[in-house]
Amino acid sequence: MKLGYWKIRGLAEAQRMLLAYVEAEFEDVVYECGDAPDFDRSCWLDVKFTLGYDFPNLPYLEDGDVKLTQTIPIMHYLSNKFGLVPKDFKVHAQCDMLDHVAMDLTVMGARLFYSPKEAFEAGRDGLIKSAKAIINQYGAFLGSNSYFAGDYITGTDFMVFETLDKYTVLEPTILDENKNLIAWMDRIKALPTLNKYFNEPTTRAWPLNNKMASFK
């Protein structure tokens, strides 16, 4: 199995976290863009259309004859492959919804993170306010459950965890109104197979965003 992405957490860290949880062996194919001012991306662009993907992009996943791009389809494939899917139709649909809300949050942040420094500084407080409103909705949805599907973990927990964790880097107090979300994140960090992932040097130490971003 191969997972290809930039040398950042970005859109692939939730997949890396899931794979660490199930202790899957995979090749982490890393592309690193050049430094300023050009931020050369030829390491990826030179091979982008040679790898056999229907819609070439990063991240990508190769697993035998399966070749996928786009974050959510990759997460759903891995969740199905490793038995991390909701157990009934209603919960499955709800978790799909949560995945897409997480992507909305990610895109909302990326628009500002990759804007010029002055624009980032001017928009930071507004982004935090908007993100906090959505995070409060996540807290309300989770309620007293251990995980977003109930009493068992699914791929959605990894998708949402990584999204919210990025926002705690931007604003460390952003979860303070949602003690249940803090407890949920602590619960995930304490899972035995994730001990190495969280406590030894891993891709979690990489920047959130790429070199051209104002907020890394």
Side-chain angles (χ1 to χ4, degrees):
M1 186 186 301
K2 295 180 181 179
L3 179 66
Y5 195 59
W6 298 108
K7 192 178 180 180
I8 59 173
R9 282 167 60 178
L11 298 175
E13 198 60 29
Q15 294 99 306
R16 296 180 184 127
M17 185 179 173
L18 185 156
L19 290 166
Y21 171 70
V22 298
E23 299 181 293
E25 293 186 5
F26 72 101
E27 180 183 353
D28 204 353
V29 183
V30 177
Y31 301 91
E32 185 172 10
C33 76
D35 296 326
D38 297 328
F39 302 111
D40 178 61
R41 297 183 297 151
S42 59
C43 62
W44 162 240
L45 296 177
D46 286 352
V47 301
K48 179 176 180 178
F49 295 101
T50 69
L51 302 176
Y53 288 88
D54 295 312
F55 300 93
N57 209 342
L58 295 174
Y60 65 68
L61 179 78
E62 180 178 341
D63 185 25
D65 62 352
V66 174
K67 288 190 170 185
L68 294 172
T69 54
Q70 303 296 331
T71 301
I72 291 177
I74 292 172
M75 285 297 296
H76 287 179
Y77 175 82
L78 293 174
S79 297
N80 277 278
K81 179 180 176 72
F82 294 108
L84 297 172
V85 292
K87 297 176 182 177
D88 68 66
F89 182 73
K90 177 184 176 181
V91 178
H92 207 300
Q94 290 173 326
C95 285
D96 283 352
M97 174 181 68
L98 297 174
D99 291 342
H100 284 272
V101 173
M103 183 55 69
D104 287 346
L105 257 180
T106 297
V107 172
M108 185 170 73
R111 289 196 185 104
L112 191 63
F113 300 154
Y114 284 89
S115 62
K117 189 71 173 178
E118 297 78 10
F120 168 72
E121 295 296 343
R124 182 182 181 279
D125 290 346
L127 173 62
I128 291 170
K129 181 179 180 180
S130 297
K132 188 177 291 187
I134 298 173
I135 289 169
N136 288 343
Q137 293 171 345
Y138 270 120
F141 187 96
L142 180 65
S144 61
N145 289 328
S146 296
Y147 301 101
F148 278 104
D151 61 356
Y152 59 95
I153 198 167
T154 67
T156 292
D157 292 288
F158 299 105
M159 183 82 177
V160 178
F161 182 104
E162 175 62 13
T163 303
L164 301 193
D165 193 54
K166 289 174 183 172
Y167 274 95
T168 68
V169 178
L170 177 68
E171 174 47 64
T173 67
I174 201 165
L175 298 181
D176 284 1
E177 297 175 14
N178 295 278
K179 303 302 182 185
N180 62 335
L181 287 177
I182 295 173
W184 162 77
M185 294 184 80
D186 289 342
R187 187 175 301 118
I188 291 175
K189 290 178 184 177
L191 293 169
T193 54
L194 289 177
N195 179 68
K196 180 179 179 180
Y197 175 77
F198 281 110
N199 295 297
E200 297 182 15
T202 66
T203 53
R204 290 205 74 76
W206 288 358
L208 302 181
N209 300 305
N210 228 325
K211 295 179 182 181
M212 66 288 291
S214 294
F215 178 73
K216 299 176 179 63

